[in-house]
Amino acid sequence: MKIHVVEDYRQLSLKAATLVAGQVNMKPNAVLGLATGSTPEGMYSELVRLFHAGAVDFSEVVTFNLDEYVGLDSSHPQSYHYYMHHHLFNHVNIPAGNIHIPSGNAADMAAFCREYDQKIAAAGGIDLQILGIGVNGHIGFNEPGESLSVGTHLIELSRETIEANSRFFDSADEVPRQAVTMGMGSIMKARRILLLASGKSKAKAIRETVCGRVTPQVPASFLQLHRRAILIVDREAASLL
Ligand code: PGA
């Protein structure tokens, strides 16, 4: 793992966007694995700025999002479909047909998950996977547990995740209990991984990710086994390293 400690959230966002733009400039038809949550918002807004400045062109880029809540309509403001269009897709030139986000409403979820993995493989795999990290060490919605799944799958959200994400909803009761997430295998197969973490609330998860045992109880700890995993963390998130 390569760890970059930066001063603050703004520096984290700028550095992450520079890395993503560099990937696209190096390989215009790059396959990007994308994350949602509050952490990558600054990176997306900087990518939009770079696009408008003519510094990056997304016209051949293919994207696969990590996860989506089950049961929210794609027009729901807290759905990850809505988030991605709001923060990135409505502002850059990624062709609509190149965008993939897991469906939280598929009639046959098992078939949908299989097809999602097949589409990632057919696109040639992920060149650069962006990740946030949960306070409990989850990546995507791969929650801590006895074991982890390889492929895209349906999961029950943990109590910590429901609590952490309730800040986006009127109350914890409104947070969906289930989600669809890319599995650990799909993430680990990415050629490069970029994990972003900002703020004190992530310090413990970052310490366990970097210094702890590799264990399904801390899904992000598996990144210790990846050859090209990069962490960009701000001072607060790095404060327990
Ligand atoms: P956050 O979420 O960026 O909103 O903190 C990260 C995550 O839960 O993976």
Side-chain angles (χ1 to χ4, degrees):
M1 269 196 259
K2 210 179 213 173
I3 305 166
H4 297 279
V5 180
V6 296
E7 196 49 45
D8 54 20
Y9 180 69
R10 175 154 171 77
Q11 294 307 318
L12 173 148
S13 302
L14 296 182
K15 196 168 180 68
T18 304
L19 219 135
V20 174
Q23 169 72 67
V24 173
N25 286 332
M26 190 167 65
K27 184 179 176 190
N29 61 350
V31 179
L32 302 179
L34 299 179
T36 52
S38 51
T39 311
E41 281 181 17
M43 175 191 79
Y44 290 134
S45 94
E46 177 61 10
L47 282 172
V48 170
R49 196 193 67 75
L50 290 172
F51 170 70
H52 287 300
V56 62
D57 171 22
F58 293 95
S59 60
E60 294 177 54
V61 163
V62 175
T63 67
F64 287 91
N65 263 81
L66 278 169
D67 45 21
E68 178 59 286
Y69 289 117
V70 166
L72 295 189
D73 194 79
S74 57
S75 62
H76 190 290
Q78 294 310 331
S79 78
Y80 293 158
H81 279 74
Y82 184 96
Y83 172 108
M84 286 309 304
H85 286 85
H86 180 71
H87 289 290
L88 184 69
F89 298 148
N90 289 348
H91 313 288
V92 299
N93 62 343
I94 304 173
N98 289 8
I99 292 171
H100 306 86
I101 307 176
S103 168
N105 294 309
D108 183 343
M109 198 50 95
F112 177 84
C113 290
R114 253 191 329 270
E115 279 163 27
Y116 200 70
D117 290 337
Q118 284 162 1
K119 283 183 190 161
I120 296 173
I126 292 170
D127 290 301
L128 178 60
Q129 175 66 56
I130 312 297
L131 296 174
I133 183 169
V135 289
N136 62 0
H138 77 198
I139 47 180
F141 273 138
N142 292 280
E143 298 282 34
E146 295 297 307
S147 62
L148 295 166
S149 298
V150 172
T152 302
H153 61 288
L154 183 71
I155 54 100
E156 305 289 323
L157 294 172
S158 69
R159 193 177 37 77
E160 289 101 324
T161 299
I162 291 170
E163 219 165 85
N165 290 8
S166 64
R167 70 190 195 276
F168 299 115
F169 293 82
D170 287 339
S171 73
D173 289 345
E174 286 180 29
V175 183
R177 270 28 190 179
Q178 293 184 313
V180 187
T181 184
M182 231 187 242
M184 290 298 291
S186 314
I187 293 171
M188 292 297 284
K189 273 186 244 163
R191 284 181 272 282
R192 254 190 330 160
I193 295 178
L194 176 59
L195 182 141
L196 309 176
S198 170
K200 267 204 165 47
S201 67
K202 301 295 172 69
K204 180 168 166 282
I206 287 298
R207 187 188 57 204
E208 289 174 349
T209 296
V210 174
C211 313
R213 285 188 307 130
V214 176
T215 163
Q217 298 295 345
V218 183
S221 65
F222 278 78
L223 299 182
Q224 291 178 32
L225 305 176
H226 195 281
R227 279 174 192 278
R228 298 183 74 200
I230 304 167
L231 271 58
I232 304 180
V233 292
D234 65 13
R235 287 216 176 274
E236 288 190 353
S239 59
L240 297 179
L241 288 182

